Short mmCIF file of all heavy atoms in Angstrom, two decimals:
data_model
loop_
_atom_site.label_atom_id
_atom_site.label_comp_id
_atom_site.label_asym_id
_atom_site.label_seq_id
_atom_site.Cartn_x
_atom_site.Cartn_y
_atom_site.Cartn_z
N MET T 15 -2.92 8.86 -20.02
CA MET T 15 -3.01 9.13 -18.61
C MET T 15 -2.36 10.47 -18.33
O MET T 15 -1.32 10.79 -18.88
CB MET T 15 -2.33 8.02 -17.82
CG MET T 15 -2.45 8.20 -16.33
SD MET T 15 -1.73 6.87 -15.34
CE MET T 15 -2.83 5.54 -15.70
N LYS T 16 -3.01 11.25 -17.47
CA LYS T 16 -2.46 12.56 -17.16
C LYS T 16 -1.19 12.42 -16.34
O LYS T 16 -0.99 11.44 -15.62
CB LYS T 16 -3.49 13.37 -16.39
CG LYS T 16 -4.70 13.74 -17.21
CD LYS T 16 -5.66 14.59 -16.42
CE LYS T 16 -6.88 14.93 -17.25
NZ LYS T 16 -7.84 15.72 -16.49
N LYS T 17 -0.35 13.42 -16.46
CA LYS T 17 0.94 13.38 -15.79
C LYS T 17 0.80 13.31 -14.27
O LYS T 17 1.54 12.59 -13.62
CB LYS T 17 1.71 14.66 -16.19
CG LYS T 17 3.16 14.63 -15.82
CD LYS T 17 3.88 13.67 -16.69
CE LYS T 17 5.36 13.92 -16.58
NZ LYS T 17 6.12 12.96 -17.34
N ARG T 18 -0.20 14.00 -13.71
CA ARG T 18 -0.33 13.99 -12.26
C ARG T 18 -0.79 12.63 -11.74
O ARG T 18 -0.40 12.22 -10.66
CB ARG T 18 -1.27 15.09 -11.81
CG ARG T 18 -2.67 14.94 -12.33
CD ARG T 18 -3.53 16.11 -11.95
NE ARG T 18 -4.76 16.02 -12.72
CZ ARG T 18 -5.91 16.43 -12.30
NH1 ARG T 18 -5.99 17.03 -11.14
NH2 ARG T 18 -6.97 16.28 -13.04
N HIS T 19 -1.58 11.90 -12.54
CA HIS T 19 -2.00 10.56 -12.14
C HIS T 19 -0.81 9.60 -12.18
O HIS T 19 -0.65 8.76 -11.31
CB HIS T 19 -3.12 10.04 -13.03
CG HIS T 19 -4.39 10.81 -12.91
ND1 HIS T 19 -5.03 11.02 -11.71
CD2 HIS T 19 -5.13 11.46 -13.82
CE1 HIS T 19 -6.12 11.73 -11.89
NE2 HIS T 19 -6.19 12.03 -13.18
N GLU T 20 0.03 9.76 -13.19
CA GLU T 20 1.23 8.94 -13.27
C GLU T 20 2.14 9.23 -12.08
O GLU T 20 2.72 8.32 -11.51
CB GLU T 20 1.98 9.23 -14.57
CG GLU T 20 1.29 8.70 -15.80
CD GLU T 20 2.05 9.05 -17.06
OE1 GLU T 20 3.16 9.63 -16.98
OE2 GLU T 20 1.54 8.75 -18.14
N GLN T 21 2.27 10.50 -11.72
CA GLN T 21 3.11 10.87 -10.60
C GLN T 21 2.59 10.29 -9.29
O GLN T 21 3.37 9.84 -8.46
CB GLN T 21 3.22 12.39 -10.49
CG GLN T 21 3.98 13.02 -11.61
CD GLN T 21 3.92 14.54 -11.60
OE1 GLN T 21 3.16 15.14 -10.85
NE2 GLN T 21 4.74 15.15 -12.44
N LYS T 22 1.30 10.27 -9.12
CA LYS T 22 0.72 9.70 -7.90
C LYS T 22 1.00 8.20 -7.81
O LYS T 22 1.34 7.70 -6.74
CB LYS T 22 -0.80 9.93 -7.88
CG LYS T 22 -1.19 11.36 -7.63
CD LYS T 22 -2.69 11.54 -7.68
CE LYS T 22 -3.07 12.99 -7.59
NZ LYS T 22 -4.52 13.18 -7.72
N LEU T 23 0.91 7.51 -8.93
CA LEU T 23 1.19 6.07 -8.92
C LEU T 23 2.67 5.79 -8.70
O LEU T 23 3.03 4.82 -8.03
CB LEU T 23 0.68 5.44 -10.21
CG LEU T 23 -0.83 5.41 -10.39
CD1 LEU T 23 -1.18 4.86 -11.77
CD2 LEU T 23 -1.51 4.60 -9.30
N VAL T 24 3.53 6.64 -9.23
CA VAL T 24 4.96 6.46 -9.00
C VAL T 24 5.30 6.70 -7.54
O VAL T 24 6.07 5.93 -6.95
CB VAL T 24 5.78 7.40 -9.93
CG1 VAL T 24 7.23 7.46 -9.52
CG2 VAL T 24 5.65 6.95 -11.38
N VAL T 25 4.71 7.73 -6.95
CA VAL T 25 4.96 8.01 -5.53
C VAL T 25 4.44 6.86 -4.67
O VAL T 25 5.09 6.43 -3.71
CB VAL T 25 4.30 9.35 -5.12
CG1 VAL T 25 4.26 9.52 -3.63
CG2 VAL T 25 5.03 10.50 -5.78
N LEU T 26 3.28 6.32 -5.02
CA LEU T 26 2.74 5.16 -4.29
C LEU T 26 3.68 3.96 -4.40
O LEU T 26 3.94 3.28 -3.41
CB LEU T 26 1.35 4.81 -4.82
CG LEU T 26 0.68 3.60 -4.19
CD1 LEU T 26 0.39 3.87 -2.71
CD2 LEU T 26 -0.57 3.23 -4.94
N SER T 27 4.22 3.72 -5.59
CA SER T 27 5.14 2.59 -5.79
C SER T 27 6.42 2.76 -4.97
O SER T 27 6.91 1.81 -4.34
CB SER T 27 5.51 2.46 -7.26
OG SER T 27 4.37 2.23 -8.02
N ILE T 28 6.95 3.97 -4.95
CA ILE T 28 8.16 4.22 -4.17
C ILE T 28 7.88 4.07 -2.68
O ILE T 28 8.68 3.50 -1.92
CB ILE T 28 8.74 5.61 -4.50
CG1 ILE T 28 9.27 5.63 -5.93
CG2 ILE T 28 9.84 6.01 -3.51
CD1 ILE T 28 9.64 6.99 -6.45
N ALA T 29 6.73 4.58 -2.23
CA ALA T 29 6.37 4.46 -0.81
C ALA T 29 6.20 2.99 -0.41
O ALA T 29 6.68 2.58 0.65
CB ALA T 29 5.10 5.23 -0.54
N LEU T 30 5.58 2.20 -1.26
CA LEU T 30 5.43 0.77 -0.97
C LEU T 30 6.78 0.06 -0.96
O LEU T 30 7.02 -0.84 -0.15
CB LEU T 30 4.48 0.12 -1.98
CG LEU T 30 3.02 0.47 -1.82
CD1 LEU T 30 2.23 -0.10 -2.95
CD2 LEU T 30 2.49 -0.01 -0.50
N PHE T 31 7.64 0.45 -1.86
CA PHE T 31 8.99 -0.13 -1.88
C PHE T 31 9.71 0.12 -0.57
O PHE T 31 10.33 -0.75 0.00
CB PHE T 31 9.79 0.43 -3.06
CG PHE T 31 11.21 -0.05 -3.08
CD1 PHE T 31 11.50 -1.34 -3.50
CD2 PHE T 31 12.24 0.77 -2.70
CE1 PHE T 31 12.80 -1.79 -3.54
CE2 PHE T 31 13.56 0.33 -2.73
CZ PHE T 31 13.83 -0.96 -3.16
N LEU T 32 9.60 1.36 -0.06
CA LEU T 32 10.24 1.70 1.19
C LEU T 32 9.57 1.02 2.39
O LEU T 32 10.23 0.57 3.33
CB LEU T 32 10.26 3.21 1.38
CG LEU T 32 11.11 3.99 0.38
CD1 LEU T 32 10.93 5.48 0.59
CD2 LEU T 32 12.57 3.58 0.50
N ILE T 33 8.25 0.94 2.38
CA ILE T 33 7.53 0.35 3.50
C ILE T 33 7.79 -1.15 3.59
O ILE T 33 7.90 -1.69 4.69
CB ILE T 33 6.02 0.64 3.38
CG1 ILE T 33 5.75 2.11 3.67
CG2 ILE T 33 5.21 -0.23 4.32
CD1 ILE T 33 4.34 2.53 3.40
N PHE T 34 7.89 -1.84 2.45
CA PHE T 34 8.08 -3.26 2.48
C PHE T 34 9.56 -3.67 2.53
O PHE T 34 9.88 -4.85 2.35
CB PHE T 34 7.38 -3.92 1.29
CG PHE T 34 5.89 -4.01 1.44
CD1 PHE T 34 5.05 -3.52 0.46
CD2 PHE T 34 5.32 -4.53 2.57
CE1 PHE T 34 3.68 -3.58 0.60
CE2 PHE T 34 3.95 -4.59 2.75
CZ PHE T 34 3.12 -4.12 1.74
N ASN T 35 10.45 -2.74 2.80
CA ASN T 35 11.84 -3.09 3.05
C ASN T 35 11.98 -3.69 4.44
O ASN T 35 11.16 -3.45 5.31
CB ASN T 35 12.74 -1.84 2.93
CG ASN T 35 13.36 -1.75 1.56
OD1 ASN T 35 13.52 -2.74 0.88
ND2 ASN T 35 13.70 -0.53 1.18
N ILE T 36 13.04 -4.42 4.64
CA ILE T 36 13.23 -5.17 5.88
C ILE T 36 13.18 -4.29 7.16
O ILE T 36 12.51 -4.66 8.09
CB ILE T 36 14.54 -5.98 5.83
CG1 ILE T 36 14.44 -7.07 4.79
CG2 ILE T 36 14.90 -6.57 7.18
CD1 ILE T 36 13.37 -8.11 5.09
N PRO T 37 13.84 -3.14 7.22
CA PRO T 37 13.78 -2.38 8.48
C PRO T 37 12.36 -1.95 8.88
O PRO T 37 12.02 -2.03 10.05
CB PRO T 37 14.64 -1.13 8.20
CG PRO T 37 15.55 -1.53 7.10
CD PRO T 37 14.79 -2.52 6.28
N PHE T 38 11.56 -1.58 7.92
CA PHE T 38 10.19 -1.19 8.25
C PHE T 38 9.29 -2.39 8.51
O PHE T 38 8.39 -2.32 9.32
CB PHE T 38 9.60 -0.31 7.14
CG PHE T 38 10.17 1.06 7.12
CD1 PHE T 38 11.04 1.45 6.10
CD2 PHE T 38 9.86 1.98 8.11
CE1 PHE T 38 11.57 2.72 6.09
CE2 PHE T 38 10.39 3.26 8.10
CZ PHE T 38 11.26 3.63 7.08
N VAL T 39 9.52 -3.46 7.82
CA VAL T 39 8.72 -4.67 8.03
C VAL T 39 8.96 -5.23 9.41
O VAL T 39 8.04 -5.71 10.08
CB VAL T 39 9.01 -5.71 6.92
CG1 VAL T 39 8.38 -7.04 7.25
CG2 VAL T 39 8.51 -5.21 5.58
N LEU T 40 10.20 -5.13 9.90
CA LEU T 40 10.50 -5.67 11.22
C LEU T 40 9.84 -4.85 12.34
O LEU T 40 9.67 -5.35 13.43
CB LEU T 40 12.02 -5.72 11.43
CG LEU T 40 12.74 -6.75 10.56
CD1 LEU T 40 14.23 -6.70 10.82
CD2 LEU T 40 12.21 -8.15 10.82
N ILE T 41 9.44 -3.62 12.06
CA ILE T 41 8.73 -2.83 13.06
C ILE T 41 7.38 -3.50 13.37
O ILE T 41 6.93 -3.50 14.51
CB ILE T 41 8.51 -1.38 12.54
CG1 ILE T 41 9.83 -0.65 12.47
CG2 ILE T 41 7.51 -0.63 13.42
CD1 ILE T 41 9.73 0.71 11.80
N PHE T 42 6.76 -4.08 12.37
CA PHE T 42 5.45 -4.72 12.55
C PHE T 42 5.54 -6.16 13.05
O PHE T 42 4.53 -6.78 13.27
CB PHE T 42 4.69 -4.71 11.22
CG PHE T 42 4.45 -3.35 10.68
CD1 PHE T 42 5.03 -2.96 9.48
CD2 PHE T 42 3.66 -2.45 11.36
CE1 PHE T 42 4.81 -1.70 8.97
CE2 PHE T 42 3.42 -1.18 10.85
CZ PHE T 42 4.02 -0.80 9.67
N ASN T 43 6.75 -6.65 13.22
CA ASN T 43 6.92 -8.03 13.67
C ASN T 43 6.86 -8.08 15.21
O ASN T 43 7.84 -8.24 15.89
CB ASN T 43 8.26 -8.59 13.16
CG ASN T 43 8.33 -10.07 13.29
OD1 ASN T 43 7.32 -10.72 13.58
ND2 ASN T 43 9.51 -10.63 13.08
N LEU T 44 5.66 -7.94 15.73
CA LEU T 44 5.44 -7.93 17.17
C LEU T 44 4.70 -9.20 17.58
O LEU T 44 4.02 -9.82 16.81
CB LEU T 44 4.58 -6.70 17.56
CG LEU T 44 5.12 -5.34 17.14
CD1 LEU T 44 4.07 -4.28 17.43
CD2 LEU T 44 6.40 -5.03 17.90
N GLU T 45 4.84 -9.52 18.88
CA GLU T 45 4.08 -10.64 19.43
C GLU T 45 2.64 -10.18 19.63
O GLU T 45 2.40 -9.04 19.99
CB GLU T 45 4.69 -11.06 20.76
CG GLU T 45 6.09 -11.63 20.64
CD GLU T 45 6.11 -12.94 19.89
OE1 GLU T 45 5.14 -13.73 20.00
OE2 GLU T 45 7.09 -13.17 19.15
N GLY T 46 1.73 -11.05 19.40
CA GLY T 46 0.33 -10.75 19.62
C GLY T 46 -0.50 -10.97 18.40
O GLY T 46 -0.01 -11.24 17.31
N ASP T 47 -1.80 -10.84 18.60
CA ASP T 47 -2.75 -11.06 17.52
C ASP T 47 -3.72 -9.89 17.43
O ASP T 47 -4.00 -9.21 18.41
CB ASP T 47 -3.59 -12.32 17.79
CG ASP T 47 -2.76 -13.59 17.77
OD1 ASP T 47 -1.65 -13.55 17.19
OD2 ASP T 47 -3.20 -14.59 18.35
N ILE T 48 -4.19 -9.65 16.22
CA ILE T 48 -5.26 -8.69 15.96
C ILE T 48 -6.37 -9.47 15.30
O ILE T 48 -6.21 -9.96 14.18
CB ILE T 48 -4.77 -7.53 15.07
CG1 ILE T 48 -3.63 -6.80 15.73
CG2 ILE T 48 -5.93 -6.60 14.76
CD1 ILE T 48 -3.00 -5.74 14.87
N TYR T 49 -7.49 -9.62 15.99
CA TYR T 49 -8.62 -10.40 15.50
C TYR T 49 -8.22 -11.84 15.18
O TYR T 49 -8.72 -12.44 14.22
CB TYR T 49 -9.27 -9.75 14.26
CG TYR T 49 -9.77 -8.36 14.51
CD1 TYR T 49 -9.19 -7.27 13.87
CD2 TYR T 49 -10.83 -8.13 15.39
CE1 TYR T 49 -9.66 -5.99 14.10
CE2 TYR T 49 -11.28 -6.86 15.63
CZ TYR T 49 -10.70 -5.79 14.98
OH TYR T 49 -11.15 -4.53 15.20
N GLY T 50 -7.27 -12.39 15.94
CA GLY T 50 -6.84 -13.76 15.73
C GLY T 50 -5.80 -13.93 14.65
O GLY T 50 -5.40 -15.05 14.36
N ILE T 51 -5.36 -12.85 14.04
CA ILE T 51 -4.34 -12.89 12.98
C ILE T 51 -3.06 -12.31 13.56
O ILE T 51 -3.09 -11.29 14.23
CB ILE T 51 -4.81 -12.06 11.77
CG1 ILE T 51 -6.15 -12.55 11.24
CG2 ILE T 51 -3.76 -12.09 10.65
CD1 ILE T 51 -6.77 -11.63 10.22
N PRO T 52 -1.92 -12.95 13.32
CA PRO T 52 -0.66 -12.40 13.82
C PRO T 52 -0.45 -10.96 13.33
O PRO T 52 -0.84 -10.60 12.21
CB PRO T 52 0.41 -13.32 13.23
CG PRO T 52 -0.32 -14.62 13.00
CD PRO T 52 -1.71 -14.24 12.64
N THR T 53 0.14 -10.13 14.17
CA THR T 53 0.31 -8.71 13.89
C THR T 53 1.05 -8.46 12.59
O THR T 53 0.71 -7.57 11.83
CB THR T 53 1.06 -8.03 15.04
OG1 THR T 53 0.41 -8.35 16.26
CG2 THR T 53 1.10 -6.53 14.88
N PHE T 54 2.08 -9.26 12.32
CA PHE T 54 2.88 -9.09 11.12
C PHE T 54 2.02 -9.25 9.86
O PHE T 54 2.02 -8.40 8.96
CB PHE T 54 4.03 -10.09 11.10
CG PHE T 54 4.86 -10.06 9.85
CD1 PHE T 54 5.74 -8.99 9.64
CD2 PHE T 54 4.75 -11.03 8.89
CE1 PHE T 54 6.50 -8.95 8.49
CE2 PHE T 54 5.49 -10.99 7.74
CZ PHE T 54 6.38 -9.94 7.54
N TYR T 55 1.29 -10.34 9.79
CA TYR T 55 0.45 -10.59 8.61
C TYR T 55 -0.66 -9.57 8.48
O TYR T 55 -0.97 -9.12 7.37
CB TYR T 55 -0.16 -12.00 8.65
CG TYR T 55 0.87 -13.10 8.58
CD1 TYR T 55 0.96 -14.08 9.56
CD2 TYR T 55 1.75 -13.15 7.51
CE1 TYR T 55 1.90 -15.08 9.48
CE2 TYR T 55 2.70 -14.15 7.42
CZ TYR T 55 2.77 -15.11 8.42
OH TYR T 55 3.71 -16.10 8.33
N PHE T 56 -1.26 -9.20 9.59
CA PHE T 56 -2.32 -8.22 9.56
C PHE T 56 -1.82 -6.88 9.02
O PHE T 56 -2.47 -6.25 8.16
CB PHE T 56 -2.93 -8.01 10.95
CG PHE T 56 -4.09 -7.07 11.00
CD1 PHE T 56 -5.34 -7.51 10.63
CD2 PHE T 56 -3.93 -5.75 11.38
CE1 PHE T 56 -6.43 -6.66 10.66
CE2 PHE T 56 -4.99 -4.89 11.40
CZ PHE T 56 -6.26 -5.34 11.04
N SER T 57 -0.64 -6.44 9.46
CA SER T 57 -0.13 -5.16 8.99
C SER T 57 0.29 -5.20 7.53
O SER T 57 -0.01 -4.28 6.77
CB SER T 57 1.06 -4.71 9.87
OG SER T 57 2.10 -5.65 9.80
N VAL T 58 0.94 -6.27 7.10
CA VAL T 58 1.38 -6.37 5.71
C VAL T 58 0.19 -6.41 4.76
O VAL T 58 0.14 -5.66 3.77
CB VAL T 58 2.27 -7.63 5.51
CG1 VAL T 58 2.47 -7.92 4.02
CG2 VAL T 58 3.60 -7.43 6.18
N PHE T 59 -0.81 -7.22 5.08
CA PHE T 59 -1.98 -7.31 4.19
C PHE T 59 -2.86 -6.06 4.27
O PHE T 59 -3.50 -5.70 3.29
CB PHE T 59 -2.78 -8.57 4.48
CG PHE T 59 -2.09 -9.82 3.97
CD1 PHE T 59 -1.66 -10.80 4.85
CD2 PHE T 59 -1.86 -9.98 2.62
CE1 PHE T 59 -1.03 -11.92 4.38
CE2 PHE T 59 -1.22 -11.10 2.14
CZ PHE T 59 -0.80 -12.09 3.03
N SER T 60 -2.87 -5.36 5.40
CA SER T 60 -3.61 -4.11 5.50
C SER T 60 -2.97 -3.04 4.64
O SER T 60 -3.68 -2.29 3.93
CB SER T 60 -3.67 -3.63 6.95
OG SER T 60 -4.36 -4.53 7.74
N ILE T 61 -1.66 -2.95 4.67
CA ILE T 61 -0.95 -1.98 3.82
C ILE T 61 -1.16 -2.33 2.35
O ILE T 61 -1.36 -1.43 1.52
CB ILE T 61 0.55 -1.95 4.18
CG1 ILE T 61 0.73 -1.36 5.58
CG2 ILE T 61 1.35 -1.14 3.17
CD1 ILE T 61 2.13 -1.53 6.13
N TRP T 62 -1.10 -3.59 2.03
CA TRP T 62 -1.30 -4.03 0.65
C TRP T 62 -2.71 -3.68 0.17
O TRP T 62 -2.89 -3.15 -0.92
CB TRP T 62 -1.06 -5.53 0.59
CG TRP T 62 -1.08 -6.12 -0.78
CD1 TRP T 62 -0.68 -5.55 -1.95
CD2 TRP T 62 -1.54 -7.43 -1.11
NE1 TRP T 62 -0.85 -6.44 -2.98
CE2 TRP T 62 -1.36 -7.60 -2.50
CE3 TRP T 62 -2.03 -8.48 -0.37
CZ2 TRP T 62 -1.70 -8.77 -3.15
CZ3 TRP T 62 -2.36 -9.65 -1.01
CH2 TRP T 62 -2.20 -9.79 -2.39
N LEU T 63 -3.71 -3.94 1.00
CA LEU T 63 -5.10 -3.61 0.65
C LEU T 63 -5.28 -2.09 0.50
O LEU T 63 -5.93 -1.64 -0.44
CB LEU T 63 -6.06 -4.15 1.71
CG LEU T 63 -7.55 -3.86 1.47
CD1 LEU T 63 -8.02 -4.58 0.20
CD2 LEU T 63 -8.34 -4.31 2.67
N LEU T 64 -4.68 -1.34 1.37
CA LEU T 64 -4.76 0.12 1.29
C LEU T 64 -4.13 0.63 -0.01
O LEU T 64 -4.67 1.53 -0.67
CB LEU T 64 -4.08 0.77 2.49
CG LEU T 64 -4.13 2.27 2.57
CD1 LEU T 64 -5.56 2.75 2.75
CD2 LEU T 64 -3.27 2.76 3.71
N SER T 65 -3.01 0.03 -0.43
CA SER T 65 -2.37 0.47 -1.68
C SER T 65 -3.25 0.13 -2.89
O SER T 65 -3.30 0.89 -3.84
CB SER T 65 -1.00 -0.19 -1.82
OG SER T 65 -1.11 -1.57 -2.04
N ILE T 66 -3.96 -1.00 -2.85
CA ILE T 66 -4.85 -1.35 -3.94
C ILE T 66 -6.00 -0.36 -4.02
O ILE T 66 -6.38 0.08 -5.10
CB ILE T 66 -5.37 -2.80 -3.75
CG1 ILE T 66 -4.25 -3.78 -3.95
CG2 ILE T 66 -6.53 -3.09 -4.70
CD1 ILE T 66 -4.58 -5.21 -3.60
N VAL T 67 -6.55 0.02 -2.87
CA VAL T 67 -7.65 0.99 -2.85
C VAL T 67 -7.20 2.34 -3.38
O VAL T 67 -7.90 2.97 -4.17
CB VAL T 67 -8.23 1.10 -1.42
CG1 VAL T 67 -9.19 2.26 -1.31
CG2 VAL T 67 -8.90 -0.19 -1.02
N ILE T 68 -6.02 2.78 -2.97
CA ILE T 68 -5.50 4.07 -3.45
C ILE T 68 -5.26 4.03 -4.96
O ILE T 68 -5.60 4.97 -5.68
CB ILE T 68 -4.21 4.45 -2.69
CG1 ILE T 68 -4.54 4.77 -1.24
CG2 ILE T 68 -3.51 5.64 -3.35
CD1 ILE T 68 -3.32 4.96 -0.36
N SER T 69 -4.71 2.93 -5.46
CA SER T 69 -4.49 2.78 -6.90
C SER T 69 -5.82 2.80 -7.65
O SER T 69 -5.93 3.43 -8.70
CB SER T 69 -3.76 1.49 -7.21
OG SER T 69 -2.51 1.47 -6.62
N TYR T 70 -6.82 2.15 -7.10
CA TYR T 70 -8.14 2.12 -7.73
C TYR T 70 -8.73 3.53 -7.81
O TYR T 70 -9.27 3.92 -8.84
CB TYR T 70 -9.07 1.19 -6.96
CG TYR T 70 -10.51 1.25 -7.45
CD1 TYR T 70 -10.84 0.59 -8.64
CD2 TYR T 70 -11.48 1.92 -6.76
CE1 TYR T 70 -12.15 0.64 -9.10
CE2 TYR T 70 -12.77 1.97 -7.22
CZ TYR T 70 -13.12 1.32 -8.38
OH TYR T 70 -14.40 1.36 -8.84
N ILE T 71 -8.61 4.28 -6.74
CA ILE T 71 -9.14 5.65 -6.71
C ILE T 71 -8.43 6.53 -7.74
O ILE T 71 -9.07 7.28 -8.47
CB ILE T 71 -9.04 6.25 -5.31
CG1 ILE T 71 -10.00 5.52 -4.36
CG2 ILE T 71 -9.32 7.74 -5.31
CD1 ILE T 71 -9.81 5.85 -2.90
N VAL T 72 -7.11 6.42 -7.83
CA VAL T 72 -6.36 7.22 -8.79
C VAL T 72 -6.76 6.84 -10.22
O VAL T 72 -7.00 7.71 -11.06
CB VAL T 72 -4.83 7.06 -8.58
CG1 VAL T 72 -4.06 7.66 -9.73
CG2 VAL T 72 -4.43 7.68 -7.26
N LEU T 73 -6.85 5.56 -10.50
CA LEU T 73 -7.20 5.13 -11.85
C LEU T 73 -8.65 5.40 -12.18
O LEU T 73 -9.00 5.67 -13.34
CB LEU T 73 -6.89 3.64 -12.02
CG LEU T 73 -5.40 3.31 -12.02
CD1 LEU T 73 -5.20 1.80 -12.04
CD2 LEU T 73 -4.71 3.95 -13.20
N LYS T 74 -9.54 5.37 -11.19
CA LYS T 74 -10.94 5.68 -11.45
C LYS T 74 -11.09 7.14 -11.87
O LYS T 74 -11.87 7.47 -12.76
CB LYS T 74 -11.75 5.40 -10.20
CG LYS T 74 -13.22 5.62 -10.38
CD LYS T 74 -13.99 5.32 -9.12
CE LYS T 74 -15.45 5.68 -9.28
NZ LYS T 74 -16.16 5.62 -8.03
N LYS T 75 -10.33 8.04 -11.24
CA LYS T 75 -10.38 9.45 -11.61
C LYS T 75 -9.86 9.64 -13.02
O LYS T 75 -10.29 10.56 -13.72
CB LYS T 75 -9.59 10.30 -10.61
CG LYS T 75 -10.27 10.45 -9.29
CD LYS T 75 -9.47 11.35 -8.38
CE LYS T 75 -10.16 11.50 -7.04
NZ LYS T 75 -9.40 12.36 -6.15
N TYR T 76 -8.90 8.82 -13.44
CA TYR T 76 -8.34 8.95 -14.78
C TYR T 76 -9.38 8.60 -15.83
O TYR T 76 -9.48 9.26 -16.86
CB TYR T 76 -7.12 8.04 -14.92
CG TYR T 76 -6.70 7.84 -16.36
CD1 TYR T 76 -6.17 8.89 -17.09
CD2 TYR T 76 -6.85 6.62 -16.97
CE1 TYR T 76 -5.78 8.74 -18.41
CE2 TYR T 76 -6.47 6.43 -18.29
CZ TYR T 76 -5.95 7.48 -18.99
OH TYR T 76 -5.58 7.31 -20.30
N TYR T 77 -10.14 7.57 -15.60
CA TYR T 77 -11.08 7.08 -16.61
C TYR T 77 -12.40 7.84 -16.64
O TYR T 77 -13.24 7.57 -17.47
CB TYR T 77 -11.34 5.59 -16.45
CG TYR T 77 -10.14 4.78 -16.87
CD1 TYR T 77 -9.44 4.00 -15.96
CD2 TYR T 77 -9.71 4.78 -18.19
CE1 TYR T 77 -8.36 3.26 -16.35
CE2 TYR T 77 -8.62 4.05 -18.58
CZ TYR T 77 -7.95 3.28 -17.64
OH TYR T 77 -6.87 2.55 -18.04
N GLU T 78 -12.61 8.79 -15.74
CA GLU T 78 -13.86 9.56 -15.74
C GLU T 78 -13.81 10.66 -16.78
O GLU T 78 -12.87 11.12 -17.22
CB GLU T 78 -14.12 10.16 -14.36
CG GLU T 78 -14.58 9.13 -13.39
CD GLU T 78 -14.89 9.74 -12.03
OE1 GLU T 78 -14.53 10.92 -11.78
OE2 GLU T 78 -15.49 9.03 -11.23
#
C-alpha cells in the first residue's frame, strides 16, 4: 500500500476516534426525529456509513 493511502486511513481513524468521543457524541443527542429515526442514532450511523464509503474509495484507488 502506498504511503499516502496509509496516511489517509490513519487520518480517517483519528478523525473517527475524535468524533465518536463523548463530547462530540453529545452534540448529536437532540430531541426529535429524522425520517422517524432518533437524531442520535441517525447521526452516528450516518457518520459510520460515510467512513465506510471513504475507506472503500481510498482502498479502491490502491488496488487499481
Side-chain angles (χ1 to χ4, degrees):
M15 183 177 291
K16 293 182 181 178
K17 192 72 164 176
R18 62 185 168 148
H19 295 304
E20 289 178 4
Q21 291 172 350
K22 289 177 187 177
L23 292 175
V24 168
V25 167
L26 178 65
S27 300
I28 292 171
L30 287 174
F31 176 75
L32 294 175
I33 288 173
F34 285 128
N35 264 335
I36 293 297
F38 287 108
V39 170
L40 292 179
I41 291 172
F42 301 115
N43 195 10
L44 303 172
E45 295 293 326
D47 295 339
I48 300 174
Y49 301 114
I51 303 169
T53 308
F54 176 74
Y55 294 124
F56 184 80
S57 61
V58 167
F59 286 116
S60 297
I61 292 169
W62 186 34
L63 180 64
L64 183 65
S65 69
I66 291 170
V67 169
I68 292 171
S69 298
Y70 174 76
I71 291 170
V72 169
L73 290 173
K74 183 180 175 190
K75 287 183 181 180
Y76 165 68
Y77 288 115
E78 286 182 348

